[in-house]
Amino acid sequence: MQRLVSLFAEVLMVNAAELNEESSPATVREWDSVAAMALVAAIEETFDVQLSTREIMTMRSIGLAYRVLVSKGVVI
Amino acid sequence: MRSDDSVAARRLAKSEWRAHLTGRSKADLRIGIAATFTAEPMVPYAGHALVQHGYSPDILLAPYNQLLNVCGDHQVVFGNELDVIVLLWRIEEMLPSGLEHASGSNFATAASSAEPELDIFVAALSALRKRFSGSIIVSLPPVPRIPGFDPLGVNGAAGSLFHKMISLAFSERVRGIEGVALLDLDAVERQCGTQAAWDARVWYLYRQPQSEAAMALLGNQLARLICAQRRPAAKVVILDCDNTLWGGVVGEDGLDGIAIGQDFPGAAFRDLQLFLASLRNRGILLALASKNNEEDVRRVFDLHDGMILKWNDFTSHRICWRPKAETIPEIADELNLGLSSFVFIDDNPSEIESVRALLPEVNCVLLPEEPAHILDAVRHLWLFDQIQVTNEDSRRAQMMTEAQQRKVAAEAMTPQEFLKSLNLSVEVFPARTEHLGRITQLINKTNQFNLTTARRTLDEVRQLSQQGLHRVFGASVHDRFGDYGLTGVAIVAEGDSVWELDTFLLSCRVLGKGVEQAVLAALARGAQASGVERLRGFYRPTAKNQVAALFYESAGFRRVGDEAWESLAVDAATVPPHIDLVAGPQPS
C-alpha cells in the first residue's frame, strides 16, 4: 500500500503523509480530472498493467485502486 | 528504442518535469496551448524537453476547444501575455460538416464542403497573427478516426485521401500568413505507429485521442519546433574520417580496403555523406579533423569513386596527429565563428570525451558502433533545425570560401593597400518586404557589432517598416571576391531635427573594412536629404559588443548622455576613400 500511496503523492505533487487509503478526489484538492488521467498513466507504467475502462472508473480512492491492482495479481 | 526503454524515459521525463514545477525558477518562456481535444498529457513531455534545452517554460492550457476564442483574444483565455501560442486541432472537431460526407466514397466533395469551416479558422488565425507578435504554431491534423469506416477496409482510402486534401488546403492557406509554423500531428502519429498512437480507452474516458506514447512524441516535437524558432542552427560540422566518413581505417586497410559505396556497410557511410551534403546545401559548413596522414586521406577523396563528398566541400582541413581539442579551435579561428556553433562528429569515444572535456561549448556527437544506425543518429538531431532558410544561408558556404581567398590576399599587402584592393562597394537601401526575413535574422543573431542589441520579431520589424515613424534600412556589401549579401541593418526613428539610430548593426563578416563608416555616412546623407540636421546614436554595452564601444567616438560624435552620442549630419557624411557608396537612402 505504501508504494501506491507514494506514487499517488508523487503524481498529485502532495506530501505522502497527507494521503491514506480513504484519499479520493473529494478529499484531495489536487486530484482533479487532469490528475486522474496522469494517475492512470503512472499506474500503468509503474506496475506494467493495462487497466480496463471499468477498472479505471472503479479507482475512486487509493484503497479502491489498491484492490483493483491486487485483483489483477499486481504485487505492490 | 525498446518499449521498456520508452516507458522508463516517459516516467523519467514526467518526474523531472514535476521536480521543475516544484522548484520553479522564474519562467522565461510562456506558452499557451489550445486544442480541440484533451492535450494535457503532452505538457510534461514538452516542458521537460524545453528544460533540457535550457528554458524555464510556463505552459498554460486553454479550456477544451477554445481555438477561435484564443485567436480572438488570447489574453482573456490565458489571463496572461505569452511568447508562444500553440493551436492543435483535429478534423473531427474543427470541420464536422465536411466529415459528415467523408465516410462515403466521395472524398473530394467532402473536402470541398469542409472549406467554409476551414476559411473561418484561417481568417481567425490571420487575425491572431496581426495582433500577436510572438511565435504561432498550428497543427496539421491527424487522419480522422471516423466511426463510419475502417481505415483498412475496402473503401479505407477515402478517409486518408480526404485527410490529405484538407491538410493541403490548410497548409496552402497558412503559407499565406507569415511566420506561422506547422506541427504535423499526422507525422507524430506515423512516427509512433498509428495503432500505438491510439488508445480508445482514454478517448472515451477523457476525450484524449492519442495514447501516452503519442503524447510523449507530440510534446517532444512541440519543444523541437519552439527551440528551432528561437535558436540558430549549428554553423559548422567537423568530421572525423576513419569509421565516420567511411568504414575502416585508410592508413591500415588501404584505399581498396575501406567501405564506402553502394553495398553495406559502405552504403551506411554513403548515406551519412549524403546527409552531410544536404547540410552543406543549406549553408552549414563542413570541416575535417582526422588523425591521419594527409596524403592517405587526400587519396580517398581524389580516387575513391564511392565518395559523395569532395575535398573542396570541406571549408577547412586538419589532417594531422595533434589533439582535436587543439585543431578544432584553430578551425573556429579560421572561420571566425564561436565554438558553440560547432558540431563534432566522431566514432571514437575517447576523442569525443576529450573534446567534451576541453571544449565544452562544442556539440559532440558520438556515432553508434552499428553502421546501420549511423544515419538515424544524426538525422534526428535538433542541432541542424532551422525554420526559415533565407538566400543568405544557402550562399554561406560559398561566401566562406570567398572569405578564405580574401585572407590569402590580405597576407601579402599593407592594411591600406589591402582595403583599396578589395574594391569595396556598399549599398544602403530602404528595406522592402522581401528583405525583412533576413533583417530580422540579423537583428536576432548579431552580437558583436550591434550598437543597441535591440532584438525584434519579424512582426515587430514589419510593423516598424509600415507605421511611418521609423525607417528600416538594409546594407549590402560587395567586393572583388564576391558578394557578402545583406549584412547591415539600421532602423532610424525619424524626428523633425534628429534621426535616432534605434538599431545599427553589421554582420561580423564585413567588420574591419570601414563598412560601418560608409553606412553611417549613407544615413547622414539620408538625414540631410530629408532636411534633418542631426544624428543621434546609442551604444548599449553587452557582454559581446565591445568591438562597437568606440564607434561613435571614432566617427566624431559627441557624447550627450550615458549611452547617447550626437553629430551634425553634415559632419558624419564622409565615406572612407576605399569604399564606393552605391546609393544613399532617398527621402520619402
Side-chain angles (χ1 to χ4, degrees), chain B residues 37 156 456:
Chain B
F37 50 86
R456 286 192 168 98

Side-chain angles (χ1 to χ4, degrees), chain A residues 10-11 13 34 36-37 40-41 44-46 50-51 53 56-57, chain B residues 7 10-11 14-15 18 21-22 38 40-41 201 205-206 208 212:
Chain A
E10 191 198 330
V11 175
M13 292 196 276
V34 174
M37 298 162 63
V40 169
E44 293 192 335
E45 288 167 355
T46 306
Q50 242 224 1
L51 301 167
T53 49
I56 292 171
M57 289 188 294
Chain B
V7 168
R10 294 208 305 263
R11 288 174 62 190
K14 286 188 282 194
S15 119
R18 283 193 289 263
L21 288 178
T22 319
T38 300
E40 275 82 353
R201 300 169 309 148
L205 288 171
Y206 314 123
Q208 173 193 332
E212 191 74 13

